[in-house]
């Protein structure tokens, strides 16, 4: 079936729910894992402050394989690839559940990520092909709302499973959800295809190699197994591979990522904003559970229960994203919301061992609300000016950027955390001081990232937000 707006009413009605189910699976997996990391670390004999490799291995693998997912979906059809993706993700979850060492768990997460790299991007690509642009903002916003049930259930369910059973069960919960997604996909999702050329293997090697080297530099900077010279060499190799890809892409007929895409202003600024903003925000899903369990000494279940207000706030706030963007436009919304998000993250600096738990909950509620506006706005402005020819590649590039930013954000926050852990801050009487200073740095990074959105035009994304029409009517 060639890509185009679908007319079947049943498919139009239920297709967004399938996209929401895919997001639910990933969100549930991520939030359950974040809450369970301290317990996993204890079981495997590792430090909970150095468990970021379990998350980074997944997000980095997803980032590297997403370009392939777009090509596979266009070549073999969105339906076939989506079902394959869910199957691999579910099987990978089983492998994670039977892991007995950290290395085994990291390898299982990489396998799981092979399915995750295709699951959500292909679902979103199907929606881009299936709905007209003036409906896309509402559809994309809708699929994230049911998907937020995962973050609400994840922390509490993860804490319950870790305490009452074992951490292995936090992965097995993906399996029944995956089976439901496969059954629904067989009868609902259209098998859209597009004409594509050969996959750009050389471009993929250069692009993915550069990203991998960069992530390794951030990940291994403090590792005793790697020397300073080796780190410098990895950094130089990352830069060389990046430069080589740019040189190659300018001359290749069908490169992995066409550099002409960056001429689309809304896409370019949306991608840059996604990247630099998540340098600060991206570490929060790792930092908050560690703060609650390692800093405050809460149990996994109690820490999971305290995460629910943040997820609920995120869910409720998404209902206000469309009217906010229509009223103020993308530019003003993103500048203001990014600054407020950074200031709120910085407020975690002022918590102490004597801070009441309800103060932390208020901060987490605010964080959930601002994140809802931030992520939905950044994602939709990136897609605003894409057409039929650029939708697949633009969508893949957005997904790559998101996953890369999450990976780098987690690695960066873990690096900052370890810097303070090894400094004079760690020997103070305040056990939470290491986390406080890390939150301060992350907040400042987020505030500074708002500068990117000042480059947006006043009417940027008007075709999606409807602000121009809104203004004409008023």
């Amino acid at each position: 079936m060639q890509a185009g707006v679908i007319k079947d009413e049943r498919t139009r009605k239920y297709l967004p729910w399938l996209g929401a189910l895919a997001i639910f699976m990933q969100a549930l997996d991520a939030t359950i894992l974040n809450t369970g990391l301290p317990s996993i670390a204890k079981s495997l004999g590792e430090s909970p402050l150095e468990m970021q490799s379990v998350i980074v291995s997944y997000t980095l693998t997803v980032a590297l394989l997403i370009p392939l997912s777009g090509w596979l979906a266009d070549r073999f059809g969105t339906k076939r690839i989506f079902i394959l993706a869910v199957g691999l993700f579910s099987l990978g979850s089983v492998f994670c559940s039977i892991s007995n060492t950290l290395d085994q768990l990291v390898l299982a997460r990489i396998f799981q990520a092979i399915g995750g790299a295709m699951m959500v991007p292909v679902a979103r690509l199907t929606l881009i092909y299936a709905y007209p642009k003036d409906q896309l903002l509402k559809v994309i916003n809708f699929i994230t709302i049911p998907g937020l049930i995962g973050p609400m259930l994840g922390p509490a369910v993860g804490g319950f499973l870790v305490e009452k059973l074992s951490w292995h069960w936090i992965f097995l919960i993906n399996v029944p959800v995956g089976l439901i997604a496969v059954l629904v996909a067989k009868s609902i999702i259209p098998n859209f295809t597009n004409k594509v050329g050969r996959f750009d293997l050389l471009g993929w090697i250069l692009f993915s190699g550069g990203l991998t080297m960069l992530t390794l530099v951030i990940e291994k900077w403090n590792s005793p197994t790697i020397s300073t010279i080796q780190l410098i060499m990895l950094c130089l190799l990352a830069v060389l591979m990046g430069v080589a890809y740019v040189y190659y892409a300018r001359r290749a007929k069908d490169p992995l990522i066409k550099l002409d895409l960056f001429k689309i202003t809304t896409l370019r600024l949306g991608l840059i904003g996604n990247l630099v903003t998540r340098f600060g925000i991206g570490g929060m899903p790792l930092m908050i559970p560690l703060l609650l369990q390692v800093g405050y000494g809460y149990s996994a279940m109690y820490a999971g229960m305290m995460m629910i207000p943040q997820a609920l706030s995120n869910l409720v706030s998404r209902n206000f994203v469309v009217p906010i963007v229509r009223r103020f436009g993308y530019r003003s919304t993103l500048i203001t919301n990014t600054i407020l998000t950074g200031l709120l993250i910085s407020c975690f600096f002022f918590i102490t061992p004597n801070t009441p738990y309800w103060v932390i909950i208020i901060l987490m509620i605010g964080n959930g609300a601002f994140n809802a506006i931030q992520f939905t706005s950044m994602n939709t402005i990136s897609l605003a000016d894409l057409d039929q020819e650029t939708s697949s590649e633009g969508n893949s590039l957005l997904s790559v950027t998101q996953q890369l930013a999450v990976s780098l954000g987690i690695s960066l926050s873990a690096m900052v955390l370890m810097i303070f852990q090894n400094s004079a801050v760690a020997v103070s009487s305040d056990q939470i001081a290491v986390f406080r200073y890390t939150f301060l740095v992350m907040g400042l990074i987020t505030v500074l990232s708002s500068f990117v959105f000042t480059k947006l035009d006043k009417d940027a994304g008007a075709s999606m937000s409807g602000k121009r029409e809104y203004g004409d009517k008023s």
Side-chain angles (χ1 to χ4, degrees), residues 89-110:
F89 182 84
S90 302
L91 184 59
S93 298
V94 174
F95 291 154
C96 289
S97 71
I98 61 176
S99 299
N100 294 314
T101 67
L102 179 58
D103 289 341
Q104 289 179 5
L105 182 57
V106 169
L107 289 175
R109 288 284 287 170
I110 292 173

Side-chain angles (χ1 to χ4, degrees), residues 182-470:
V182 170
L183 292 175
V184 174
K186 285 184 176 180
S187 59
I188 293 298
I189 188 170
N191 198 46
F192 290 132
T193 59
N194 260 336
K195 292 182 179 180
V196 290
R198 296 179 61 184
F199 181 69
D200 182 17
L201 182 59
L202 178 58
W204 180 76
I205 292 173
L206 293 173
F207 180 77
S208 61
L211 296 184
T212 302
M213 296 303 107
L214 177 61
T215 305
L216 284 175
V217 170
I218 300 176
E219 269 286 288
K220 301 296 185 180
W221 72 274
N222 195 40
S223 174
T225 62
I226 189 169
S227 66
T228 303
I229 298 298
Q230 289 173 319
L231 280 175
I232 295 175
M233 294 299 294
L234 283 175
C235 189
L236 289 175
L237 186 58
V239 173
L240 288 175
M241 295 188 82
V243 172
Y245 178 78
V246 172
Y247 179 85
Y248 165 78
R250 286 176 175 173
R251 290 158 177 77
K253 181 180 180 182
D254 292 306
L256 180 74
I257 296 174
K258 295 180 180 178
L259 299 183
D260 286 346
L261 286 172
F262 292 97
K263 294 179 180 179
I264 304 174
T265 303
T266 50
L267 176 63
R268 182 178 69 253
L269 294 178
L271 294 176
I272 296 174
N274 256 288
L275 187 64
V276 298
T277 300
R278 290 175 191 258
F279 282 172
I281 301 175
M284 294 297 282
L286 172 69
M287 295 301 301
I288 292 180
L290 287 178
L291 169 69
L292 296 176
Q293 295 181 66
V294 178
Y296 276 87
Y298 293 158
S299 67
M301 181 180 292
Y302 192 79
M305 295 294 290
M306 287 190 65
M307 297 292 291
I308 293 178
Q310 174 175 296
L312 184 61
S313 171
N314 197 307
L315 174 62
V316 173
S317 299
R318 287 181 184 268
N319 294 305
F320 301 99
V321 175
V322 174
I324 288 174
V325 172
R326 284 182 174 173
R327 175 65 179 86
F328 299 104
Y330 277 105
R331 185 179 187 274
S332 298
T333 298
L334 283 168
I335 293 174
T336 303
N337 195 75
T338 305
I339 294 174
L340 292 176
T341 302
L343 293 176
L344 185 138
I345 294 174
S346 299
C347 286
F348 279 87
F349 171 78
F350 298 102
I351 63 175
T352 69
N354 299 320
T355 301
Y357 71 89
W358 58 266
V359 174
I360 301 176
I361 291 179
I362 290 177
L363 289 175
M364 291 166 63
I365 289 174
N367 187 57
F370 288 132
N371 281 350
I373 300 172
Q374 189 74 23
F375 294 146
T376 304
S377 299
M378 288 193 304
N379 294 345
T380 53
I381 189 61
S382 301
L383 303 174
D385 295 328
L386 300 184
D387 54 25
Q388 188 68 34
E389 294 182 358
T390 57
S391 289
S392 177
E393 292 177 335
N395 174 64
S396 294
L397 189 55
L398 172 61
S399 298
V400 169
T401 304
Q402 289 172 336
Q403 293 298 324
L404 175 63
V406 170
S407 177
L408 293 178
I410 291 173
S411 297
L412 186 61
S413 64
M415 183 177 72
V416 174
L417 183 68
M418 292 307 300
I419 289 175
F420 289 125
Q421 176 72 16
N422 297 329
S423 69
V425 172
V427 300
S428 69
S429 57
D430 183 356
Q431 187 180 4
I432 304 177
V434 172
F435 292 95
R436 293 173 57 232
Y437 283 94
T438 302
F439 282 121
L440 181 61
V441 172
M442 293 165 61
L444 292 177
I445 291 174
T446 304
V447 170
L448 292 175
S449 69
S450 64
F451 177 76
V452 173
F453 302 114
T454 62
K455 303 299 182 180
L456 286 170
D457 291 334
K458 183 179 179 181
D459 293 325
S463 62
M464 267 197 175
S465 68
K467 184 179 186 297
R468 184 174 295 157
E469 291 78 8
Y470 180 91

